[in-house]
Amino acid sequence: MTDASAPRAGELTFVAPRRAKPQRHLADLSMAERRAAVAELGEKPFRADQLSRHYFSKLTESAEEMTDLPAASRERLGQLLPDLLTSVREITCDNGTTRKTLWRLFDGSLVESVLMRYPDRATICVSSQAGCGMNCPFCATGQAGLTRNMSTAEIVGQVVAGARSLARGEVPGGPGRISNVVFMGMGEPMANYKAVIGAVRRMVDPAPEGLGISARGVTVSTVGLVPAIEKLSAEGLPVTLAVSLHAPDDELRDTLVPINTRWKVAEVLDAAWAYAARTKRRVSIEYALIKDINDQEWRADLLGRLLKGKLVHVNLIPLNPTPGSKWTASRPEDERAFVRRLEWHGVAVTVRDTRGREIDGACGQLAAASPEL
Ligand code: SAH
């Protein structure tokens, strides 16, 4: 048998290169690595500082705009600033102060970020993975599974793009800055540990090495991957840890947050208290209130007993609707009773606003549907 499509000896074949990973970007690299990369391109190491200032402080979009650099250098250095994120669609609400962006990555993967401006702060909610492998049944992202991990620069790029919009005055309220970053977009950040830590470092490193955002303003939200929480405690990065608990008992949590079958409520909370002790940072407990599923007073009471006396704050999230889900948000009276019960135990609690709900940009609604849909 012969295979007609097989190349014969001496015949040239062209196989389109398939990159498994996004191209290397300045934001993937530490300062020392940037100097080495610049030198590799035949440039003086100090160009790494100039390039960093452009990218992280001046928020310059492309190498051509770096007119303080010689043209030949601009071209070479541009290799460290590949376009990793292409904006496919933007939807706004709240008079333009909430803005969801759908991004296409180099391999066609789609992710979303949400910029939310408030009178006193601006928060960007970023994705850390295309899709998610955690399979929580009430979350839209979880339904399609995991496509892939995002790179450090792909994660940072979402923040830089948001910072650029604010700096240019594109968001109502005059020119502004990003004060908070929450890893509450698509993906489980602790399942993409290395890239996420790199991204956090780029965010909190002082300008022009990084974006100079306060570590207190950065929140990493997790389903509760215990070994990763323990590792995070040791990073010396005092970011806020948010744990998506959603149930105080293993029986229910096994179904709402399936990874609970691996790390139980008690283990997750122990890791959270160790994190609080080490970083002196108050841990956030995320709890989506789902009607008649996890909103009973006895569960509030059980939660209160688990949390009382700890360095903790509970964020109750009225469940946001997702396609195909039979669940809905709790009745207002049940929500109020839940809050009262927690307060009775002396636990700090707030109900999160539902910003972005009408543009499917609120918690758990990011599904990155393609624009054709
Ligand atoms: N994987 C991470 C971060 C992503 S989601 C995590 O689970 O923590 C950010 C928060 O939104 C999590 O607390 C998540 O449980 C919650 N969430 C998911 N779907 C939701 C929904 N439909 N309504 C309200 N909150 C939801």
Side-chain angles (χ1 to χ4, degrees), residues 195-231:
V196 164
I197 293 300
V200 172
R201 292 201 186 283
R202 297 301 105 75
M203 291 170 199
V204 307
D205 276 345
E209 205 169 316
L211 286 164
I213 296 169
S214 156
R216 300 164 169 271
V218 177
T219 299
V220 174
S221 180
T222 177
V223 288
L225 305 185
V226 167
I229 296 174
E230 289 168 353
K231 223 160 125 192

Side-chain angles (χ1 to χ4, degrees), residues 328-341:
T328 54
S330 301
R331 300 171 195 89
E333 61 270 29
D334 292 338
E335 180 184 298
R336 280 195 295 273
F338 206 93
V339 169
R340 267 201 309 274
R341 214 57 223 142

Side-chain angles (χ1 to χ4, degrees), residues 219-297:
T219 299
V220 174
S221 180
T222 177
V223 288
L225 305 185
V226 167
I229 296 174
E230 289 168 353
K231 223 160 125 192
L232 184 66
S233 308
E235 295 283 350
L237 281 171
V239 294
T240 301
L241 175 72
V243 174
S244 297
L245 201 65
H246 305 310
D249 54 306
D250 287 319
E251 194 184 348
L252 179 59
R253 195 168 191 266
D254 281 349
T255 66
L256 295 181
V257 186
I259 200 72
N260 194 71
T261 55
R262 176 70 184 81
W263 292 287
K264 299 290 176 197
V265 171
E267 291 172 88
V268 174
L269 290 180
D270 277 350
W273 309 147
Y275 186 85
R278 184 105 183 232
T279 60
K280 313 276 188 288
R281 304 283 302 136
R282 191 164 79 158
V283 171
S284 285
I285 298 292
E286 314 290 297
Y287 199 107
L289 281 173
I290 314 175
K291 184 172 136 192
D292 296 331
I293 300 290
N294 65 351
D295 61 354
Q296 304 83 355
E297 259 190 90

Side-chain angles (χ1 to χ4, degrees), residues 65-221:
E65 293 165 42
M66 302 180 183
T67 44
D68 55 332
L69 271 74
S73 301
R74 283 206 291 269
E75 204 170 299
R76 279 194 289 272
L77 294 168
Q79 293 178 50
L80 289 173
L81 299 174
D83 282 330
L84 296 177
L85 302 168
T86 308
S87 166
V88 179
R89 183 178 52 187
E90 302 232 342
I91 320 180
T92 61
C93 62
D94 304 317
N95 294 318
T97 57
T98 301
R99 173 199 294 226
K100 180 172 86 163
T101 308
L102 173 67
W103 302 104
R104 191 186 313 110
L105 309 181
F106 84 93
D107 59 350
S109 301
L110 297 169
V111 299
E112 292 180 314
S113 61
V114 186
L115 181 62
M116 290 160 281
R117 187 169 206 185
Y118 301 86
D120 58 332
R121 64 186 199 281
T123 300
I124 188 154
C125 175
V126 297
S127 295
S128 56
Q129 296 181 312
C132 184
M134 295 297 122
N135 208 21
C136 304
F138 56 90
C139 175
T141 311
Q143 305 322 300
L146 175 68
T147 304
R148 70 163 167 90
N149 279 336
M150 292 174 73
S151 69
T152 289
E154 285 173 331
I155 299 169
V156 174
Q158 300 166 74
V159 184
V160 170
R164 204 177 275 143
S165 299
L166 280 169
R168 289 180 181 169
E170 289 167 11
V171 183
R177 297 164 58 88
I178 300 266
S179 53
N180 298 77
V181 180
V182 295
F183 282 84
M184 294 190 184
M186 298 170 73
E188 167 49 44
M190 291 292 93
N192 182 16
Y193 189 85
K194 209 163 157 249
V196 164
I197 293 300
V200 172
R201 292 201 186 283
R202 297 301 105 75
M203 291 170 199
V204 307
D205 276 345
E209 205 169 316
L211 286 164
I213 296 169
S214 156
R216 300 164 169 271
V218 177
T219 299
V220 174
S221 180

